[in-house]
Amino acid sequence: MKSLKILIFASIFFISPAFANQLKPFTSDGCSAFPDGTFEQNTLWLNCCVAHDLAYWQGGTYQQRKDADIELKECVAAVGEKQIANLMLAGVRVGGSPFFPTTFRWGYGWPYPKLYGELSKEEMAQVTAHLDENPTLKSLISTSENSENKKKNRMF
């Protein structure tokens, strides 16, 4: 019985922390509980949602989340759906908090809870490694970086 207690103690205090900051592979559920497009074009803004999911998967600061949410809105508006874009922005601002233990929360690639904050060098290395393994994901990042100048000039 004593050896069982030692094993449990060791697994909690020595093994668990080693995996506590392990980034899970990227997954996307599209636009979560929202449609991925219209009835006529059922994936019209799906790429916008996948790029948004990529930002949410890695997490980061509160400002980075706001920027990701605004980029989602701008992307959906750019495909001609301004009213849908505003509705989606409201949804992600309310439902995407890192404080909720959901599969679509800010920082969902990390074990819960992963609150707002700059990613450490080690965490960024994990993000980079995952992106290097999947060139398609890297292209989503480079597309969103094209709007970097807009973000710098935006007032919230």
Side-chain angles (χ1 to χ4, degrees):
M1 185 67 168
K2 185 176 180 178
S3 61
L4 179 61
K5 288 180 185 178
I6 292 171
L7 180 63
I8 292 171
F9 176 81
S11 68
I12 291 172
F13 290 102
F14 297 110
I15 297 171
S16 296
F19 296 103
N21 289 325
Q22 292 295 312
L23 182 62
K24 293 178 253 174
F26 175 72
T27 58
S28 174
D29 62 358
C31 297
S32 299
F34 202 83
D36 296 335
T38 64
F39 287 118
E40 296 81 26
Q41 295 175 282
N42 59 4
T43 60
L44 182 60
W45 51 78
L46 176 60
N47 287 339
C48 303
C49 295
V50 174
H52 185 254
D53 284 354
L54 185 59
Y56 266 58
W57 164 75
Q58 71 181 10
T61 66
Y62 180 77
Q63 185 62 51
Q64 288 170 316
R65 178 177 170 227
K66 284 175 60 175
D67 291 344
D69 292 347
I70 293 296
E71 286 179 24
L72 172 67
K73 176 188 172 196
E74 290 173 350
C75 183
V76 174
V79 299
E81 297 293 339
K82 291 180 181 178
Q83 290 178 331
I84 296 293
N86 288 324
L87 184 60
M88 291 175 81
L89 177 62
V92 296
R93 293 305 304 154
V94 172
S97 170
F99 303 108
F100 303 133
T102 62
T103 58
F104 49 82
R105 65 180 162 76
W106 180 249
Y108 72 83
W110 304 99
Y112 180 80
K114 177 69 171 158
L115 305 179
Y116 295 116
E118 288 286 336
L119 297 180
S120 70
K121 287 181 181 179
E122 294 80 14
E123 291 169 331
M124 280 306 303
Q126 289 184 59
V127 170
T128 301
H130 281 281
L131 295 176
D132 287 344
E133 293 172 5
N134 191 334
T136 304
L137 296 180
K138 280 184 114 170
S139 70
L140 290 173
I141 296 263
S142 63
T143 301
S144 66
E145 284 175 350
N146 291 336
S147 65
E148 193 67 33
N149 290 334
K150 283 194 247 176
K151 288 192 286 186
K152 288 178 183 172
N153 296 322
R154 183 178 295 125
M155 300 285 289
F156 289 100

